[in-house]
Amino acid sequence: MTPVNRSVLERLPKAELHCHLDGSVRPETLLDLGREYGVAMPRYDAESLRDYMVVRDARNLEDYLSRFATTLSVMQTAESLERIAYELATDSWREGVWYLETRFAPNLNTRGGLTSAQALKAAIKGLAKAEREYGIVSRVIVCGLRTLPPTASMDMARLAVDFRNSGVVGFDLAGAESSNPPSVHAEAFAHARAHGVACTCHAGEGDGAASVRDAIQSCCVDRIGHGTRLIEDGALTDYVNDRRITIEVCLTSNVQTRAAKSIEDHPLREYMSRGLNVVLNTDNRLMSGTTLTDEYHLAANNLGLGFDDLARVALNGFESAFLPWNEREALALRARTAIDALRGPQS
């Protein structure tokens, strides 16, 4: 059997489909940008700031999201957005991520005078620079926000459509989930789908399985972000499985937001035993103090997943990407070849 250790997991070709740009900023970059723009940071050295930004005391999803005020405070210029996107893609490549989808809501990056389109274009520019230098394929998912009016979500859906062939591959709904059902924003999803933009939606993290059902039935999404509490509805779990709707699992952040009591209590292993299409993700590298390799390591050590299990999860990521089919297949084929080489000769 192929051993599951950190070295192997770093070399395992991985795809990251659920990673928030404004939740994945290097602490050193936060300090640099804070000094440049005259924005005070809650801590004044990188290690202290890194420690502060990891959420350890959240009572719920809303508490967890409060940390984003710090990162967004310095993400209001084209230069900062380009830098942060470039650094995220670079950091991902260094741990064996071949494909990255990062998501954010560009209408939150307009306080310094940028338009949403300019903010989006800056992030895409940073990702493209990393792709030229390292070969990591990176794309953007544009987010609407539950806590803003449906008209704002429609604006973001239109933006996603405008950039559909220029670095954007999807549309999402994020933000505080409880009492903010996806169906309120259904028209934005309909607009995205009608113009060929794939859709995902945060659901089953800060609310129950009914939220997942609403996202699927009202918004017709291709993937579900988190889906931790989907397991509470057996019929819906079967429906998701039968239609191969991808579940974007984020182990560490699910424990931080109280969606799961612990890694050991997370339903990932149960989802896999039932055959669901699951992928592992970081959610927010900074706030969760994690990397994608860390998430795979947790799945191996705390949930007993072996190499073949994790290889299947990795391939799910490539196969569930929002890339065009031929690009997706080419990446998946390369990944399969690399995985077979990691396995080595089989007796």
Side-chain angles (χ1 to χ4, degrees), residues 22-278:
D22 42 2
S24 302
V25 188
R26 293 176 183 173
E28 297 84 356
T29 299
L30 279 177
L31 291 171
D32 285 350
L33 295 175
R35 285 190 289 266
E36 182 175 352
Y37 300 133
V39 177
M41 288 291 116
R43 299 291 185 274
Y44 294 99
D45 67 87
E47 285 309 307
S48 296
L49 183 57
R50 185 190 310 276
D51 184 68
Y52 171 84
M53 292 300 293
V54 174
V55 180
R56 297 185 176 89
D57 55 354
R59 295 164 297 174
N60 49 38
L61 174 61
E62 288 74 16
D63 275 0
Y64 180 88
L65 295 175
S66 65
R67 289 289 202 283
F68 283 80
T70 299
T71 55
L72 284 169
S73 68
V74 294
M75 295 178 70
Q76 303 299 326
T77 68
E79 293 77 15
S80 64
L81 286 162
E82 180 182 342
R83 174 180 175 177
I84 288 165
Y86 169 78
E87 290 176 349
L88 170 58
T90 300
D91 292 344
S92 299
W93 172 79
R94 287 173 177 161
E95 54 151 331
V97 177
W98 290 12
Y99 177 70
L100 168 69
E101 289 177 1
T102 186
R103 59 185 75 189
F104 72 114
N107 54 351
L108 296 183
N109 305 99
T110 59
R111 298 199 300 256
L114 291 178
T115 65
S116 294
Q118 289 169 334
L120 178 56
K121 194 177 295 185
I124 292 170
K125 186 178 178 181
L127 297 178
K129 180 183 177 185
E131 185 167 349
R132 289 193 304 271
E133 293 183 5
Y134 302 109
I136 180 172
V137 179
S138 305
R139 300 292 184 266
V140 172
I141 295 173
V142 174
C143 293
L145 293 169
R146 284 178 157 87
T147 50
L148 294 181
T151 51
S153 293
M154 180 61 81
D155 288 343
M156 292 300 96
R158 290 194 178 104
L159 186 65
V161 169
D162 288 345
F163 282 81
R164 182 172 64 89
N165 297 313
S166 304
V168 170
V169 293
F171 176 71
D172 175 35
L173 185 68
E177 187 179 354
S178 181
S179 302
N180 295 299
S183 51
V184 173
H185 305 264
E187 287 188 17
F189 283 97
H191 180 80
R193 294 195 319 272
H195 292 84
V197 174
C199 294
T200 183
C201 182
H202 284 67
E205 177 196 20
D207 206 349
S211 178
V212 180
R213 183 179 293 279
D214 191 30
I216 292 169
Q217 294 182 343
S218 300
C219 305
C220 305
V221 295
D222 306 286
R223 301 190 326 223
I224 290 291
H226 298 286
T228 318
R229 295 181 61 185
L230 165 66
I231 196 73
E232 297 170 3
D233 186 329
L236 183 62
T237 301
D238 290 341
Y239 181 94
V240 166
N241 189 25
D242 293 344
R243 282 143 190 88
R244 311 311 297 152
I245 297 170
T246 305
I247 305 299
E248 304 161 357
V249 172
C250 308
L251 294 172
T252 298
S253 75
N254 285 171
V255 174
Q256 289 174 300
T257 62
R258 313 300 188 199
K261 291 180 181 178
S262 66
I263 302 296
E264 292 79 6
D265 289 320
H266 197 282
L268 170 61
R269 188 170 183 84
E270 177 65 18
Y271 288 161
M272 292 185 69
S273 70
R274 294 190 186 197
L276 271 72
N277 184 22
V278 295

Side-chain angles (χ1 to χ4, degrees), residues 317-328:
F318 293 104
E319 293 166 0
S320 302
F322 282 162
L323 286 172
W325 180 84
N326 59 330
E327 296 177 38
R328 196 166 66 236

